[in-house]
């Protein structure tokens, strides 16, 4: 599923999320933040890897400038995808933010050790969730400076 | 040719015998018979060392009978005993070189040839015939055996001839006639009913005495170290019993024992009788002295004679008791009242009894051994099941049965769980400690086979053992771990302590012969005492086997327990992992829909609800969703608390308390809430984060469930030895520091004491006292238990509460 926003930037955002409600919330937050990037949604870690490697149904014109990843998905889950991305020389520089329900310290430790750039726990309260997503997107898409390989076109 | 030879021999034979020499020369002098054939008569007194005596070839016979050595091919006489004139009525020179027919007539010679042709005569004396009395000559029983290519013919009085009776030299006939067969038949039947070696031997001694009429019949048993013991005895009622006496191995030296094992009977009708020398001393065909191993007439060693004379013995009879062809013991008979000749027939009956005795002894001993083995194994199994039940080896020394349950030992000790466990007579703990150290190096702990150490003379191998030789000259030790640290030992006291010396043979006058007091029972006893100094009865193979078996069983038990523990641990790990997975599912998979529900309720609420009622319901939906979320969080947290490793470290509780106070958002002296620590808390070993959580939970409860304007919380402790303050504390907290958190809150009535610790159990309405999931105290209890402590409370409704807890993990250090 590809959602086009009023994008002026070619480099997309990839979101790994198997919950429609949660993806809805994310899209809502993106809209509210005025994010002008294509957001590609995949529902599993496996699909995400395929997409990044150009093996999936959707071909990305450029590498994404951000991956937002839920840890728990069917098939190849977020953990495996995280490890695969962060050990792939061509992909490891893409900022990857884990966004998950789990507050398990083991998961937190695992993700940072694997090279995740940030770890966020999804709150149950909708308004708090929105707030989190907005600040997340603001930060990663507007505040941070990205490495050259991700900013060739932009 | 033969004539010439015989004449040469005769001239040699009639040379005067060398005068007896008294042993006084130096040890380096060659023994005289190195250069000429040995004869007791000529050299016997020069013997000072029993082991050097050529007992098989004494060169002499006892002179109550006569002996001829015949050439097998033509039965001509090669050697004779010098007393042939007195016994056979022919001078030696009338016989040497002549056919045996000169003595036994033609019929006798034919009979001998027939026996030699048909009977197993090699080293096996066989009764040939009886020479009838002839004038002054008594009737003679003739036995024949072959050895080294010669035939040996022995002549002894039958005991049935008148001359014998007149001299009083021959045993009287049994009253009911010489029907030895029926006598022995009864005896054998009786022997078969006996159950133990002791009763069998006792019965054997009595039967032999009845049959033979001898004054004293002893069953003399050889121990593993070859010293002997009078194991059973039957004697004339006026004689002092020697039962239970022990004699040193030297009293019956090795070659004498070898000889006794081969001869089935050894009669000595007259200790004080003369010796008759062989003429010539060596067999002219072979150049060898006569091997008299199987001769009933074999001459006695002067040492032996003297020994018996010193005991007042006038006549004797010895028969071996064999077990698996090894000398187990002797039937040793003494007669004191005078010479005593048992004719061949009676002797054969005694011999037969001895052989039956040997056979039964074996059966009985096997049975006894098997019974002992069985008993040992039975106790081993009991020991093991006790140990398995109790989960430790303390029952080995303290239980019934203990290690002494079956093993014949005076004491036992066990090193287990860093301490000694003892039962019975043992060395003290410091001695055990040193002995244990020594044994560790001694025993190959990696070997399952040879890992049992057994000694019956510890002090010889381990000199410090002399200090406790009285209780532990014998040690049987088995390591119970590869490191050898854990040991199991049995102890046996010194033999001297166990032997009953009540019958110490001091009753005989101290008559001494040429060899002096060495050959007296008293000296014999002294020698024995020396030989068993710091020695215990040796461990039997069956006992060593049992120790090794018990060791294996215990080690198996340990291994099985370790395996079971490993299995349980694996199960536990698996179930923990499952719980982990469950908690994860609870937190994620249940939370995800919750988030969706909340979101839709939120959106509905945003989209202007129709009325207040709908708004209230949507608010309720969102509130319940959040509550479920926090319940799930508590559940997840609780499951983690029980699982995660503690990080024990030296912790300043005062700092932890300060952190906890900050976390509950209260400071001492803030006006309405006061948290005070009356005295400085001691530093302890604990997991800082977990203990802080305990305090946070207790403090927040203390503040939360408090309706006072001035809320007061006191944190303190009762030291391990502040006994007066510990009135109502659980008994098992003695010696531990008890911490407490006391509030002036709403209190809890006693009937709810158990409930407050239950998961999600709330005593108050959800929204009262600031709400909460009801997991706080459950988590507190879990955390305290993880520190091997316990938590309890004192309270009453409206009077405030005090929560107490211990942290044993810290007291261990």
């Amino acid at each position: 599923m590809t959602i086009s926003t009023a994008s002026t930037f070619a480099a997309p955002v990839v979101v790994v999320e198997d919950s429609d409600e949660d993806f809805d919330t994310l899209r809502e937050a993106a809209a509210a933040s005025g994010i002008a990037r294509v957001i590609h949604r995949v529902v599993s870690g496996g699909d995400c890897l395929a997409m990044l490697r150009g093996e999936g149904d959707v071909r990305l014109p450029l590498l994404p400038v951000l991956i937002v990843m839920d840890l728990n998905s069917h098939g190849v889950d977020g953990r495996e995808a995280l490890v695969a991305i962060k050990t792939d020389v061509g992909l490891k520089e893409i900022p990857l933010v884990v966004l998950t329900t789990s507050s398990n310290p083991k998961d937190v430790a695992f993700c940072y050790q694997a090279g995740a750039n940030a770890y966020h726990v999804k709150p149950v309260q909708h308004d708090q969730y929105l707030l989190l997503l907005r600040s997340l997107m603001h930060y990663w898409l507007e505040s941070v400076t990205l490495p050259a390989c991700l900013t060739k076109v932009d | 040719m033969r004539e010439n030879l015989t004449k040469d021999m005769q001239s040699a034979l009639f040379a005067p015998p060398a005068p007896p020499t008294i042993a006084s020369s130096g040890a380096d002098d060659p023994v005289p018979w190195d250069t000429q054939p040995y004869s007791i008569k000529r050299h016997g007194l020069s013997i000072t060392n029993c082991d050097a005596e050529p007992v098989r070839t004494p060169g002499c016979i006892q002179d109550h009978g006569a002996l001829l050595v015949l050439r097998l091919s033509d039965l001509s006489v090669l050697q004779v005993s010098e007393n042939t004139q007195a016994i056979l009525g022919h001078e030696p020179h009338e016989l040497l070189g002549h056919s045996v027919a000169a003595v036994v007539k033609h019929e006798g010679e034919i009979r001998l040839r027939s026996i030699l042709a048909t009977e197993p005569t090699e080293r096996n004396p066989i009764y040939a015939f009886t020479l009838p009395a002839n004038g002054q000559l008594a009737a003679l029983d003739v036995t024949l055996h072959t050895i080294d290519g010669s035939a040996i013919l022995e002549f002894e009085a039958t005991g049935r001839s008148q001359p014998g009776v007149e001299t009083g030299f021959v045993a009287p006939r049994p009253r009911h006639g010489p029907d030895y067969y029926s006598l022995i038949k009864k005896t054998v039947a009786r022997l078969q009913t006996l159950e133990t070696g002791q009763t069998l031997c006792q019965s054997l001694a009595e039967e032999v005495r009845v049959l033979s009429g001898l004054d004293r019949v002893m069953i003399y048993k050889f121990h593993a170290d070859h010293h002997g013991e009078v194991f059973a005895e039957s004697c004339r009622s006026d004689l002092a019993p020697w039962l239970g006496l022990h004699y040193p191995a030297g009293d019956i030296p090795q070659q004498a024992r070898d000889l006794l094992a081969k001869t089935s009977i050894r009669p000595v009708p007259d200790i004080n009788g003369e010796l008759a020398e062989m003429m010539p001393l060596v067999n002219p065909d072979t150049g060898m002295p006569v091997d008299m191993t199987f001769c009933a007439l074999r001459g006695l060693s002067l040492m032996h004679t003297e020994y018996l004379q010193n005991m007042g013995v006038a006549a004797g009879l010895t028969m071996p008791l064999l077990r698996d062809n090894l000398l187990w013991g002797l039937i040793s008979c003494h007669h004191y009242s005078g010479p005593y000749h048992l004719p061949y027939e009676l002797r054969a009956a005694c011999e037969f009894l001895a052989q039956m005795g040997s056979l039964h002894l074996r059966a009985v001993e096997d049975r006894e051994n098997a019974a002992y083995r069985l008993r040992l194994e039975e106790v081993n199994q009991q020991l093991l099941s006790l140990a398995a039940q109790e989960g430790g080896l303390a029952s080995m020394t303290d239980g019934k049965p203990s290690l002494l349950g079956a093993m014949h030992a005076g004491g036992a000790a066990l090193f287990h769980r860093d301490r000694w466990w003892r039962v019975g007579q043992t060395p003290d703990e410091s001695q055990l400690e040193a002995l244990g150290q020594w044994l560790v190096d001694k025993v190959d702990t990696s070997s399952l086979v040879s890992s049992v150490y057994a000694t019956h003379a510890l002090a010889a191998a381990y000199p410090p053992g002399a200090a406790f030789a009285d209780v532990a000259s014998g040690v049987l030790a088995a390591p119970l771990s590869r490191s050898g640290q854990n040991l199991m030992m049995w102890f046996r006291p010194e033999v001297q302590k166990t032997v009953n010396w009540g019958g110490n043979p001091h009753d005989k006058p101290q008559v001494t012969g040429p060899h002096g007091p060495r050959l007296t029972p008293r000296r014999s006893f002294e020698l024995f005492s020396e030989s068993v100094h710091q020695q215990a009865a040796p461990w039997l193979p069956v006992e060593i086997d049992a120790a090794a078996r018990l060791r294996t069983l215990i080690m198996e038990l340990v291994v099985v327990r370790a395996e079971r523990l490993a299995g349980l641990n694996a199960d536990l790990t698996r179930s923990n992992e499952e719980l982990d997975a469950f908690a994860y599912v609870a937190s994620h998979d249940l939370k995800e829909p919750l988030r969706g529900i909340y979101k839709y309720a939120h959106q509905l609420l945003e989209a202007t609800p129709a009325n207040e009622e709908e708004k209230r319901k949507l608010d309720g939906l969102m509130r319940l969703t959040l509550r479920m979320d926090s319940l799930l969080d508590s559940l997840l947290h609780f499951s983690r608390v029980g699982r995660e490793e503690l990080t024990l470290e030296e912790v300043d509780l005062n700092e932890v308390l300060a952190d906890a106070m900050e976390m509950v958002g209260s400071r001492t002296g803030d006006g309405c809430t006061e948290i005070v620590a009356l005295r400085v808390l001691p530093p302890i070993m604990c997991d800082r984060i977990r203990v802080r959580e305990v305090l946070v939970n207790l403090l927040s409860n203390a503040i939360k469930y408090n309706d006072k304007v001035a809320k007061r919380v006191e944190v303190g402790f009762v030291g391990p030895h502040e006994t007066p303050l510990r009135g109502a504390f659980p008994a098992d907290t003695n010696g531990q520091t008890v911490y407490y958190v006391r509030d002036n809150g709403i209190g809890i009535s006693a009937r709810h004491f158990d409930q407050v610790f239950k998961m999600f159990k709330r005593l108050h309405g959800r929204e009262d006292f600031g709400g909460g999931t009801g997991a706080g105290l459950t988590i507190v209890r879990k955390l305290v238990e993880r520190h091997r402590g316990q938590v309890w409370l004192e309270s009453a409704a409206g009077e405030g509460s005090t929560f107490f807890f211990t942290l044993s993990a810290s007291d261990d250090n």
Side-chain angles (χ1 to χ4, degrees):
Chain A
M1 189 193 302
T2 301
I3 287 134
S4 294
T5 56
S7 172
T8 54
F9 300 101
V13 171
V14 170
V15 175
V16 184
E17 177 59 80
D18 66 347
S19 158
D20 291 345
E21 282 77 20
D22 285 353
F23 183 68
D24 238 25
T25 307
L26 183 135
R27 208 173 41 176
E28 192 184 326
S33 310
I35 298 299
R37 286 193 185 264
V38 177
I39 298 178
H40 289 288
R41 178 191 176 194
V42 288
V43 295
S44 76
D47 290 353
C48 174
L49 278 175
M51 177 182 269
L52 292 174
R53 289 171 177 165
E55 298 158 0
D57 299 336
V58 179
R59 297 288 168 121
L60 295 177
L62 289 167
L63 285 178
V65 288
L66 176 67
I67 302 169
V68 177
M69 183 173 281
D70 191 353
L71 284 185
N72 299 282
S73 65
H74 62 271
V76 176
D77 81 354
R79 291 175 191 76
E80 288 172 68
L82 165 64
V83 171
I85 291 164
K86 288 300 180 185
T87 52
D88 186 321
V89 187
L91 303 175
K92 64 194 288 186
E93 286 168 78
I94 306 169
L96 190 153
V97 173
V98 175
L99 181 62
T100 181
T101 311
S102 172
S103 56
N104 191 334
K106 279 186 193 165
D107 283 336
V108 179
F110 173 87
C111 290
Y112 281 114
Q113 271 162 23
N117 299 74
Y119 189 107
H120 297 277
V121 179
K122 293 176 183 173
V124 168
Q125 291 98 319
H126 183 65
D127 38 1
Q128 285 180 23
Y129 194 14
L130 275 175
L131 211 59
L132 167 67
L133 287 167
R134 289 180 65 172
S135 66
L136 185 156
M137 283 187 272
H138 172 77
Y139 179 75
W140 286 105
L141 299 177
E142 289 166 13
S143 299
V144 300
T145 303
L146 293 171
C149 68
L150 299 177
T151 54
K152 275 180 283 192
V153 176
D154 290 357
Chain B
M1 179 69 181
R2 192 182 297 158
E3 283 299 304
N4 291 342
L5 195 76
T6 308
K7 282 195 176 121
D8 287 350
M9 274 164 31
Q10 282 169 0
S11 55
L13 281 167
F14 294 128
T21 53
I22 303 296
S24 58
S25 50
D28 292 338
D29 293 344
V31 284
W33 60 95
D34 277 355
T35 50
Q36 51 179 301
Y38 177 76
S39 158
I40 302 173
K41 251 181 152 172
R42 301 180 194 202
H43 312 111
L45 278 177
S46 67
I47 300 275
T48 51
N49 178 359
C50 291
D51 289 324
E53 187 166 358
V55 286
R56 290 163 55 238
T57 55
C60 297
I61 65 165
Q62 302 174 55
D63 94 332
H64 66 275
L67 187 145
L68 305 183
V69 178
L70 309 178
R71 181 182 287 129
L72 265 179
S73 55
D74 59 3
L75 296 189
S76 62
V77 179
L78 294 174
Q79 289 172 279
V80 300
S81 57
E82 61 187 341
N83 60 349
T84 48
Q85 175 61 44
I87 307 290
L88 302 174
H90 297 278
E91 289 295 346
H93 67 87
E94 294 169 26
L95 301 175
L96 285 166
H98 295 282
S99 164
V100 71
V103 179
V104 300
K105 306 289 186 304
H106 186 56
E107 309 98 277
E109 186 182 344
I110 289 171
R111 173 83 184 121
L112 292 178
R113 285 189 192 283
S114 146
I115 291 171
L116 286 169
T118 57
E119 304 277 341
T121 54
E122 180 64 18
R123 295 170 183 254
N124 181 32
I126 285 179
Y127 169 79
F129 47 80
T130 301
L131 270 185
N134 180 5
Q136 286 304 301
L137 300 176
L140 296 168
D141 284 331
V142 181
T143 57
L144 165 70
H145 75 277
T146 55
I147 186 166
D148 300 334
S150 301
I152 292 175
L153 221 47
E154 293 178 87
F155 300 81
E156 282 184 87
T158 59
R160 290 185 295 276
S161 59
Q162 286 309 307
V165 173
E166 281 164 9
T167 59
F169 186 46
V170 173
R173 293 179 184 196
R175 221 172 296 154
H176 307 294
D179 183 7
Y180 300 123
Y181 172 71
S182 54
L183 272 173
I184 283 191
K185 205 175 144 190
K186 276 184 226 152
T187 302
V188 168
R190 194 154 47 242
L191 292 182
Q192 268 164 345
T193 64
L194 299 169
E195 291 291 326
T196 68
Q198 176 62 52
T199 53
L200 175 71
C201 288
Q202 187 56 41
S203 191
L204 196 57
E206 283 160 13
E207 298 291 346
V208 169
R209 196 162 90 82
V210 167
L211 192 64
S212 66
L214 288 156
D215 287 340
R216 185 195 299 275
V217 177
M218 294 169 284
I219 308 297
Y220 188 82
K221 174 184 173 178
F222 291 108
H223 286 249
D225 61 354
H226 304 301
H227 94 263
E229 175 193 356
V230 180
F231 187 59
E233 183 185 36
S234 169
C235 66
R236 227 173 54 205
S237 56
D238 59 316
L239 296 174
W242 292 356
L243 185 66
L245 293 190
H246 290 242
Y247 297 87
D251 273 21
I252 302 176
Q254 182 64 47
Q255 15 78 294
R257 289 194 300 272
D258 291 347
L259 206 59
L260 282 164
K262 285 180 190 155
T263 44
S264 51
I265 191 155
R266 172 78 175 122
V268 182
D270 186 3
I271 294 287
N272 302 306
E274 296 296 317
L275 290 165
E277 195 174 76
M278 293 307 295
M279 301 174 64
L281 272 173
V282 296
N283 183 323
D285 280 7
T286 65
M288 301 294 289
V290 190
D291 183 342
M292 295 193 190
T293 300
F294 302 96
C295 295
L297 291 172
R298 174 160 52 85
L300 265 77
S301 136
L302 291 185
M303 298 273 282
H304 185 52
T305 309
E306 193 179 321
Y307 183 59
L308 291 173
Q309 283 168 339
N310 286 343
M311 286 197 283
V313 176
L317 178 73
T318 308
M319 291 168 284
L321 289 169
L322 301 176
R323 201 198 134 113
D324 300 330
N325 290 322
L326 296 174
L327 191 64
W328 177 91
L330 301 172
I331 301 180
S332 175
C333 312
H334 287 172
H335 202 65
Y336 304 102
S337 41
Y340 197 84
H341 179 248
L342 284 105
Y344 176 81
E345 224 172 355
L346 182 51
R347 238 163 52 203
C350 291
E351 198 180 322
F352 181 69
L353 259 188
Q355 284 166 355
M356 289 311 295
S358 291
L359 287 176
H360 284 301
L361 199 61
R362 195 213 145 107
V364 163
E365 278 208 333
D366 283 352
R367 211 150 53 211
E368 277 189 306
N369 240 337
Y372 188 29
R373 185 183 295 277
L374 220 62
R375 174 83 188 119
L376 284 164
E377 179 61 20
E378 189 187 334
V379 168
N380 274 356
Q381 294 294 349
Q382 288 171 351
L383 286 170
L384 206 72
S385 62
L386 261 178
Q389 270 169 35
E390 298 191 357
L393 300 181
S395 56
M396 300 265 166
T397 53
D398 300 353
K400 270 192 184 252
S402 71
L403 287 173
L404 298 181
M407 189 75 85
H408 295 154
L414 193 73
F415 191 79
H416 171 60
R417 292 193 177 148
D418 297 326
R419 57 159 285 198
W420 287 99
W421 305 79
R422 301 190 289 164
V423 59
Q425 299 288 308
T426 71
D428 68 33
E429 291 203 4
S430 59
Q431 289 167 336
L432 285 174
E433 198 60 43
L435 175 61
Q437 283 301 321
W438 179 77
L439 279 169
V440 168
D441 302 330
K442 198 79 191 163
V443 183
D444 179 7
T445 53
S446 61
S447 158
L448 274 177
V449 194
S450 61
S451 55
V452 174
Y453 177 78
T455 178
H456 64 279
L458 179 68
Y462 174 66
F468 48 85
D470 54 336
V471 295
S473 280
V475 170
L476 178 58
L480 294 179
S481 56
R482 286 201 168 238
S483 64
Q485 274 250 299
N486 294 334
L487 268 174
M488 169 170 68
M489 289 193 254
W490 287 268
F491 304 105
R492 255 186 197 160
E494 196 172 8
V495 166
Q496 266 168 312
K497 308 288 174 200
T498 63
V499 170
N500 175 15
W501 290 105
N504 200 353
H506 289 168
D507 52 323
K508 284 288 161 194
Q510 291 297 309
V511 188
T512 54
H515 283 97
R518 159 64 190 93
L519 297 178
T520 62
R522 175 192 273 277
R523 181 65 187 131
S524 189
F525 162 63
E526 285 166 4
L527 271 182
F528 173 69
S529 296
E530 273 168 39
S531 75
V532 298
H533 180 58
Q534 295 179 345
Q535 284 196 24
W539 300 97
L540 302 175
V542 55
E543 292 167 332
I544 294 170
D545 286 354
R549 171 110 176 96
L550 182 59
R551 167 182 188 267
T552 311
L553 288 172
I554 289 174
M555 292 188 66
E556 273 172 10
L557 179 70
V558 170
V559 170
V560 164
R561 287 177 65 85
E563 276 171 1
R564 195 182 302 152
L565 214 59
L568 286 174
N569 273 334
D571 286 350
L572 206 60
T573 306
R574 203 174 315 120
S575 80
N576 273 341
E577 278 164 5
E578 281 164 9
L579 191 65
D580 198 26
F582 168 77
Y584 203 86
V585 167
S587 84
H588 183 269
D589 290 9
L590 298 184
K591 273 187 165 192
E592 189 188 290
L594 267 188
R595 212 162 39 240
I597 294 167
Y598 187 94
K599 173 186 155 131
Y600 290 133
H602 184 83
Q603 286 174 343
L604 282 173
L605 200 61
E606 302 261 290
T608 59
N611 52 42
E612 278 304 302
E613 178 64 11
E614 273 183 14
K615 186 175 182 300
R616 194 183 61 77
K617 285 179 180 167
L618 287 170
D619 278 337
L621 184 60
M622 284 160 65
R623 194 183 65 244
L624 288 173
T625 312
L626 290 180
R627 171 155 181 74
M628 184 148 175
D629 184 48
S630 64
L631 287 174
L632 288 173
D633 280 339
S634 297
L635 195 62
L636 184 61
H637 183 56
F638 177 75
S639 82
R640 265 196 232 124
V641 159
R643 253 184 6 260
E644 283 172 8
E645 287 279 315
L646 295 186
T647 312
L648 292 182
E649 56 185 339
E650 176 91 11
V651 169
D652 181 349
L653 269 187
N654 303 288
E655 284 175 16
V656 174
L657 178 61
D659 289 350
M661 278 156 58
E662 197 171 316
M663 288 171 80
V664 298
S666 296
R667 288 170 199 284
T668 49
D670 73 344
C672 66
T673 299
E674 185 188 28
I675 300 179
V676 293
L678 289 184
R679 50 179 174 163
V680 174
L681 299 170
I684 58 163
M685 291 293 291
C686 66
D687 183 311
R688 175 191 295 272
I689 308 295
R690 303 302 193 309
V691 171
R692 186 181 68 196
E693 188 173 350
V694 168
L695 287 173
V696 165
N697 271 303
L698 292 177
L699 290 175
S700 64
N701 279 353
I703 296 164
K704 206 193 284 182
Y705 300 101
N706 199 320
D707 51 2
K708 302 287 190 300
V709 177
K711 297 172 182 176
R712 189 173 190 279
V713 184
E714 178 189 326
V715 180
F717 69 97
V718 178
H721 306 295
E722 296 172 334
T723 32
L725 303 171
R726 308 176 64 97
F729 293 176
D732 54 356
T733 64
N734 284 340
Q736 297 178 2
T737 304
V738 176
Y739 307 91
Y740 66 86
V741 175
R742 176 171 293 145
D743 63 56
N744 61 345
I746 57 171
I748 300 164
S749 67
R751 67 195 166 93
H752 291 137
F753 281 4
D754 283 340
Q755 300 209 18
V756 296
F757 293 108
K758 288 193 177 149
M759 188 75 178
F760 301 145
K761 191 76 193 180
R762 298 177 50 86
L763 299 180
H764 309 283
R766 285 203 184 101
E767 307 308 325
D768 300 340
F769 301 107
T773 59
L777 285 176
T778 315
I779 288 171
V780 163
R781 187 169 66 179
K782 195 81 184 177
L783 287 169
V784 165
E785 284 171 357
R786 290 299 308 277
H787 281 83
R788 282 186 283 124
Q790 49 185 312
V791 58
W792 70 98
L793 72 152
E794 279 174 12
S795 183
E799 291 180 11
S801 309
T802 307
F803 281 84
F804 298 93
F805 63 96
T806 57
L807 299 167
S808 298
S810 61
D811 290 315
D812 291 350
N813 290 279

